[in-house]
Amino acid sequence: MMFSELRYPIIQAPMAGGVATSKLAIEVSKNGGLGFLAAGYKTSDVLESEMKACIEANVLYGVNLFVPSNEMLDEAALKSYKKQLEKDFSMTLPVKEWSDDEWFEKLALVEKYKVPFVSFTFGCPEKEIIEMLHKIGCKIIVTVTNIEEARIAYERSANAICVQGINAGGHRGTFQNTNSLNYEPLHELIIKVKNAVNMPIIAAGGIMTGQQIKILLIAGASAVQLGTAFICCNESGANEVYKRSLIEGHFQETVLTKTFTGRLARGLSNEFMKKYELQAPNVYPALHYLTQPIRKQALENENPQAMSLWAGTGFKMIQALPVKDLLEKLVEEANFFEKE
Ligand SMILES: Cc1cc2nc3c(=O)[nH]c(=O)nc-3n(C[C@H](O)[C@H](O)[C@H](O)COP(=O)(O)O)c2cc1C
């Protein structure tokens, strides 16, 4: 069984950008859930040290990798956006049109340490890669946002899919970089995907309470994946400006934006998003590198209006708790029974 080793079918979402540290993942796994490391945007050396921390803590864990994009670059649009941002922020911004985010090095690490759970986002790896990881005992999860992507993951022999609904915080995990959206409520999407492919499903997007977890398990999910709910936990690596923005009530809503990375992602609606949404081109990951110095400076200035504050639609229910207490609360609300 896919998640039979877990006390609770609750997965802490991999969260790139410094939130999902090994400290967070270890604490989640120690307390009955499944902690995930986010390989995205970090070097393979940093990832390796985080993996070693999980191994030393003797906990079950997962690693999430971004599948490199193969999209065409709109150079003219990138240039014009760069020019505008440089003028507005009075800085010289870097151009890095593409990166594979150390894809092969990170895959080699996952293989070397035989990581128990490996998830992929922004695409589905070739069947050969999935089969190679199966052979060494890794369980493979592919993030999908619709039935078509679910079918591809099924055909390529993934063990499970993480179905990401429209309310999810962070990037849309679509295989292609697109602005077209699937607005189906998560529980309806789960039911449809469940009818289309016969494989375990993890539900993700906007889940903040045990009651929601229960509904999604009834709809057919085998487990749930929560991101936003963990951001303000004591063990999370999120910076204080980000945590305060989520919890202090100054932000009223989340929106999907491509302004920061060139790919749609959901975060607290701020001035940067409002100002540049129409101008920002869909060029990922080039925009991620382009806007990095702006976001860094904004953090130094404690200015949340130019930071990417990824969050799901349920952020108003966020609580600053130790992981242990958050999991206990979710389990109590969902009325689970601990396994013998
Ligand atoms: C700050 C943040 C960073 C994220 N980074 C990743 C990531 O690196 N890889 C990934 O597969 N999903 C990532 N996600 C998306 C989550 O896997 C998941 O789909 C989402 O958190 C679910 O919605 P929720 O935040 O409302 O719980 C991220 C989400 C957030 C909030």
Side-chain angles (χ1 to χ4, degrees), residues 124-251:
C124 183
E126 297 306 319
K127 199 168 180 171
E128 294 69 37
I129 294 180
I130 295 183
E131 282 174 353
M132 179 273 287
L133 294 171
H134 278 162
K135 275 195 196 127
I136 56 168
C138 307
K139 287 180 178 159
I140 306 301
I141 301 164
V142 175
T143 305
V144 304
T145 59
N146 57 38
I147 290 177
E148 292 72 35
E149 292 170 348
R151 286 209 173 100
I152 295 173
Y154 178 75
E155 281 157 17
R156 297 194 188 165
S157 315
N159 297 93
I161 43 178
C162 176
V163 178
Q164 189 195 45
I166 190 72
N167 293 332
H171 282 97
R172 304 288 308 139
T174 46
F175 288 8
Q176 299 300 324
N177 183 357
T178 170
N179 291 339
S180 75
L181 293 165
N182 181 1
Y183 282 101
E184 271 170 304
L186 184 57
H187 63 281
E188 289 179 22
L189 183 58
I190 298 291
I191 293 168
K192 280 190 194 163
V193 172
K194 185 97 192 153
N195 284 331
V197 291
N198 181 19
M199 65 200 300
I201 290 175
I202 302 161
I207 307 169
M208 302 296 285
T209 68
Q211 288 88 342
Q212 288 169 299
I213 294 176
K214 197 158 194 181
I215 289 170
L216 291 160
L217 296 179
I218 291 169
S222 302
V224 290
Q225 180 163 305
L226 285 67
T228 303
F230 286 100
I231 300 177
C232 289
C233 281
N234 304 4
E235 298 87 346
S236 137
N239 62 66
E240 286 307 312
V241 182
Y242 187 10
K243 286 188 175 178
R244 283 204 302 270
S245 303
L246 283 163
I247 220 148
E248 283 181 353
H250 303 305
F251 288 91

